[in-house]
Amino acid sequence: MTTSQFNNIPQALEEYDKLKRHQLIIGVPTDDGFLQMIARVNEYGMTIYPKKGEYLSVPNGHGGIVKLKSVTIPPRAAFRWTIDHQEHDWLVYAGQLVADILRGQGTAEDVYDKLGNRIANDFKKTIEKWKTPPNAPLTVANKGFNNPLIDTGKLHDSITYEVVKG
């Protein structure tokens, strides 16, 4: 066995170059404007006013309608909270994945796949566990349950990652 069989540096440099030429984007897909809007409204909050007329017509969960002058959705900063509480762990994990490349046990694609999946799953776990502020009673009546960041599950299920040049 020659020392060249243990020399992973040329391959590692190629993989590191791939890492430098790309970046990881994690969250709600950018091609879904509706889910992007839902994510923003939940993250930062918003007051909704009627576009036409004096009142919003909101179902009451029992077949009737409630007329409201506005509806305020409070901020539920699940994405920012997850970043604040997980970023250090993600950086440590990324460092381990990059070190695997030098040992000849990984590729740039492995780094992006493993890190992207971990971060996307951490966002999903936060959404599943988020409890405050709770839904308004009218929202609970309409949804049938009180999970502030899950209604149909589409937002939760859409969270993914992509690798882009740049």
Side-chain angles (χ1 to χ4, degrees), residues 5-6 10 32 50 54 63 70 74 99 122 131 139 142 150 163 166:
Q5 290 174 300
F6 296 106
D32 192 326
E54 194 174 339
S70 66
D122 285 345
K131 301 294 179 216
T139 304
N142 282 317
I150 295 183
V163 179

Side-chain angles (χ1 to χ4, degrees), residues 4-56:
S4 64
Q5 290 174 300
F6 296 106
N7 183 0
N8 299 314
I9 293 174
Q11 181 63 28
L13 290 174
E14 264 185 56
E15 296 300 322
Y16 291 154
D17 191 49
K18 290 178 190 174
L19 288 172
K20 290 189 317 188
R21 290 191 317 254
H22 295 84
Q23 61 183 335
L24 193 56
I25 306 293
I26 302 145
V28 178
T30 56
D31 63 348
D32 192 326
F34 179 74
L35 284 179
Q36 286 277 320
M37 182 268 304
I38 296 296
R40 264 192 309 280
V41 167
N42 277 296
E43 187 75 12
Y44 297 102
M46 177 182 227
T47 300
I48 302 168
Y49 299 96
K51 289 183 179 179
K52 296 178 183 176
E54 194 174 339
Y55 297 99
L56 294 166

Side-chain angles (χ1 to χ4, degrees), residues 130-145:
W130 200 270
K131 301 294 179 216
T132 59
N135 285 129
L138 184 57
T139 304
V140 174
N142 282 317
K143 285 174 38 172
F145 58 92

Side-chain angles (χ1 to χ4, degrees), residues 43 77-86 122-123 126 130:
E43 187 75 12
F79 288 98
R80 288 176 288 167
W81 186 93
T82 305
I83 292 166
D84 289 347
H85 290 83
Q86 298 292 329
D122 285 345
F123 284 139
T126 299
W130 200 270

Side-chain angles (χ1 to χ4, degrees), residues 78-152:
F79 288 98
R80 288 176 288 167
W81 186 93
T82 305
I83 292 166
D84 289 347
H85 290 83
Q86 298 292 329
E87 185 176 31
H88 174 76
D89 292 340
W90 296 337
L91 291 171
V92 169
Y93 185 56
Q96 293 167 349
L97 294 171
V98 170
D100 285 347
I101 292 172
L102 187 57
R103 289 190 288 273
Q105 299 171 349
T107 65
E109 290 81 13
D110 293 337
V111 172
Y112 287 128
D113 287 342
K114 291 176 181 178
L115 188 60
N117 276 314
R118 178 169 174 170
I119 294 171
N121 286 330
D122 285 345
F123 284 139
K124 289 177 181 182
K125 287 176 194 170
T126 299
I127 286 172
E128 292 163 10
K129 294 176 183 177
W130 200 270
K131 301 294 179 216
T132 59
N135 285 129
L138 184 57
T139 304
V140 174
N142 282 317
K143 285 174 38 172
F145 58 92
N146 186 19
N147 186 322
L149 292 177
I150 295 183
D151 184 7
T152 65

